[in-house]
Amino acid sequence: MRKSYEMDMTRGPLLRSILIFTLPLLLSGVLQLLFNATDIVVVGQFAGANAMASVGSTTSLFNLLINAFIGISVGANVLVARYCGEKNYDGVQQTVQTSLLTGLVGGVILVVLGIVLARPMLTLMNTPDEVIEGAVLYMRVYFIGMPATMIYNFGAAILRAYGDTRRPLYFLMAAGVMNVLGDLLFVCVLGMGVAGAAIATVVSQLGSGLLCVAYLKKRFPILHMEKDDWKTSRPEAMRLLGMGVPVGLQFSITAIGSVMLQSAVNSLGAVCVSGVAVASKIYMLLCCPFDALGSTMATYAGQNVGAKKMDRVNTGILTSSIIGSVYSVVILGVMFLWSRQISLLFVDASETVILDQARQMLLINMVFYIPLTLVNVVRFTVQGMGFSKFAILAGVCEMIGRSVVAFFLVPYFGYTAVCFASPVAWILADLFLVPAYLYCAKTLRSLFEKNAQMM
């Protein structure tokens, strides 16, 4: 019997299911970015523009190194959702223990990669001299908390597959409060600059990871495993990797394009780096609804494919796309009026060039938010349907778009070309994803019909 914190998305009103599942995800994404943005705000206000650029210049590199393992956590979400739809609870338990062990090992690997590769990677990215020392320090300290971060991401993916999006939100809220308090202590009171911001993040990551594991163990009897149960199931590990590695590759390939673009931005100087850093923080906050809709559709598609209800998957895509499109129009109007005022949270009003560049990038990107809606909704639906290898090709499309802009347009058109890089990437990805979804839906329908005839 399902608990009150679980959600069966294979039945009931579709719009209500999507909204109830999405809203906690949206709040989680907003809170996570707000708490992470605290690093930029506090460092920018109390340690200066160069320190802020040091923190902001590491974002794309973080994504490159972390996203492969985040993709595997998406694979865990899809598998657990599929098993929930099939009522296969043995499969759920095997996937859970395999996933958490994978997250722990992945976190340890990331600690080593982050510490070793910080300076050479930032150097290859043409990070300005006045920024690189702080960026290296921030990155090395930040990566110490990766084991806890990976455990949280895998644990949250499992809970969401069960239909529980509230508990990950609560854990994130607790961790976010720790991050804010840590920033105030280490940066404002102790004057530790970028190192203090990184230490605060590590402490908050540890808190979220421990809370997530404790809840998994205490509240889910089916997931409550004794010491002898912690043995990796080879078949389940292969299923998890088969589902998650393509998603991780897609994320990493997409991040490669972002790294190339960041390298092009770095070549334009510290002021442009700061402008992109401010715009990126606001952009990621505004994109939380798209991310939440995508994560919802991964679970939604996984459960409904497990229950062999393809009609609900089709309707779910349409409903989510309409929700995202309405939001895109509304937020464009809001930011046209107040983008400059919001940017003042990150930099002083005297930094007029940075403020102008942030506004330019935000508005150009927001004009193309409807294509971004399709990227998230369709891509995650395809992953939830079990066709995660298509995610790699979608990532290649995004990488090509950003790389072409970085290599061929930024040298001639400068910062304006940077502003169009992501829209080009989104449109290319949509041109692949929409036909890919139609193929996947047709394939599954044929498979379900064939299985029904054999029964």
Side-chain angles (χ1 to χ4, degrees):
M1 184 175 67
R2 285 185 174 264
K3 307 293 185 182
S4 60
Y5 45 72
E6 301 170 15
M7 183 180 296
D8 185 351
M9 303 180 77
T10 64
R11 57 187 179 182
L14 187 147
L15 179 60
R16 179 178 179 274
S17 296
I18 290 177
L19 289 177
I20 290 176
F21 192 89
T22 300
L23 287 176
L25 285 176
L26 172 59
L27 289 174
S28 295
V30 170
L31 287 174
Q32 188 168 33
L33 289 173
L34 284 176
F35 294 138
N36 290 343
T38 303
D39 291 353
I40 291 284
V41 173
V42 173
V43 170
Q45 296 291 343
F46 291 91
N50 282 344
M52 182 187 71
S54 294
V55 175
S57 65
T58 61
T59 300
S60 60
L61 190 51
F62 282 143
N63 292 337
L64 175 62
L65 295 175
I66 294 171
N67 279 351
F69 294 98
I70 297 296
I72 298 175
S73 74
V74 173
N77 174 279
V78 171
L79 278 178
V80 173
R82 180 78 60 82
Y83 288 142
C84 286
E86 296 173 350
K87 313 301 181 186
N88 179 0
Y89 298 116
D90 288 337
V92 169
Q93 179 166 320
Q94 291 176 0
T95 302
V96 168
Q97 61 96 3
T98 302
S99 299
L100 293 178
L101 289 174
T102 301
L104 181 60
V105 172
V108 173
I109 292 173
L110 286 170
V111 172
V112 177
L113 290 177
I115 292 174
V116 172
L117 297 179
R119 184 175 295 277
M121 291 292 289
L122 288 166
T123 301
L124 285 173
M125 292 171 62
N126 300 315
T127 306
D129 292 339
E130 62 268 36
V131 169
I132 191 168
E133 292 301 326
V136 170
L137 177 60
Y138 181 81
M139 186 170 172
R140 285 176 172 169
V141 176
Y142 186 102
F143 268 90
I144 292 174
M146 279 300 107
T149 299
M150 289 298 105
I151 288 294
Y152 169 78
N153 284 325
F154 276 80
I158 292 163
L159 291 172
R160 289 164 183 160
Y162 248 85
D164 182 4
T165 55
R166 287 183 290 167
R167 269 61 185 185
L169 170 61
Y170 300 155
F171 305 150
L172 189 61
M173 291 173 64
V177 171
M178 287 188 279
N179 189 41
V180 172
L181 294 176
D183 278 333
L184 295 175
L185 172 63
F186 296 123
V187 179
C188 301
V189 178
L190 300 180
M192 296 176 65
V194 296
I199 291 171
T201 301
V202 170
V203 172
S204 67
Q205 289 170 344
L206 179 61
S208 63
L210 291 176
L211 286 170
C212 198
V213 170
Y215 184 76
L216 280 171
K217 186 175 181 180
K218 182 177 180 180
R219 296 297 185 186
F220 282 80
I222 193 171
L223 307 182
H224 188 190
M225 292 163 284
E226 303 299 330
K227 182 177 179 180
D228 292 340
D229 294 325
W230 287 97
K231 299 177 182 177
T232 301
S233 167
R234 182 181 177 85
E236 205 57 45
M238 296 307 296
R239 292 190 191 97
L240 175 63
L241 294 176
M243 187 72 69
V245 168
V247 181
L249 286 175
Q250 179 260 313
F251 286 164
S252 294
I253 289 169
T254 303
I256 290 172
S258 298
V259 168
M260 292 179 178
L261 181 63
Q262 184 66 51
S263 299
V265 172
N266 291 345
S267 68
L268 300 176
V271 173
C272 286
V273 172
S274 296
V276 171
V278 171
S280 296
K281 288 298 180 183
I282 299 172
Y283 154 81
M284 287 189 290
L285 180 63
L286 298 178
C287 286
C288 284
F290 306 128
D291 297 333
L293 282 172
S295 297
T296 296
M297 288 307 298
T299 301
Y300 180 89
Q303 287 193 8
N304 281 283
V305 168
K308 298 179 175 57
K309 295 183 177 181
M310 281 303 302
D311 288 339
R312 284 183 66 88
V313 177
N314 294 334
T315 310
I317 280 192
L318 178 61
T319 303
S320 297
S321 297
I322 292 173
I323 293 171
S325 297
V326 171
Y327 167 78
S328 298
V329 174
V330 172
I331 200 63
L332 175 59
V334 170
M335 293 304 292
F336 182 81
L337 296 174
W338 293 298
S339 60
R340 190 178 184 88
Q341 288 81 349
I342 294 174
S343 297
L344 287 172
L345 294 172
F346 298 89
V347 292
D348 189 82
S350 62
E351 302 284 358
T352 55
V353 176
I354 294 175
L355 290 169
D356 289 341
Q357 289 181 337
R359 174 179 169 82
Q360 179 185 359
M361 186 173 188
L362 285 168
L363 293 181
I364 289 175
N365 276 257
M366 276 185 256
V367 170
F368 296 91
Y369 269 9
I370 291 178
L372 176 59
T373 299
L374 288 177
V375 170
N376 281 272
V377 169
V378 179
R379 179 173 62 199
F380 278 92
T381 299
V382 169
Q383 292 167 3
M385 293 164 66
F387 294 84
S388 57
K389 293 180 177 61
F390 281 109
I392 298 176
L393 297 177
V396 170
C397 292
E398 291 194 68
M399 182 189 70
I400 291 173
R402 290 191 175 92
S403 300
V404 167
V405 172
F407 282 122
F408 299 107
L409 299 183
V410 172
Y412 295 99
F413 299 101
Y415 189 82
T416 300
V418 173
C419 298
F420 281 95
S422 289
V424 170
W426 300 333
I427 291 171
L428 287 178
D430 282 334
L431 291 175
F432 167 77
L433 282 168
V434 173
Y437 168 73
L438 296 175
Y439 166 80
C440 295
K442 181 179 179 181
T443 301
L444 284 178
R445 284 184 183 279
S446 298
L447 179 63
F448 294 159
E449 291 173 1
K450 181 179 179 181
N451 290 341
Q453 292 173 358
M454 294 175 61
M455 294 179 61

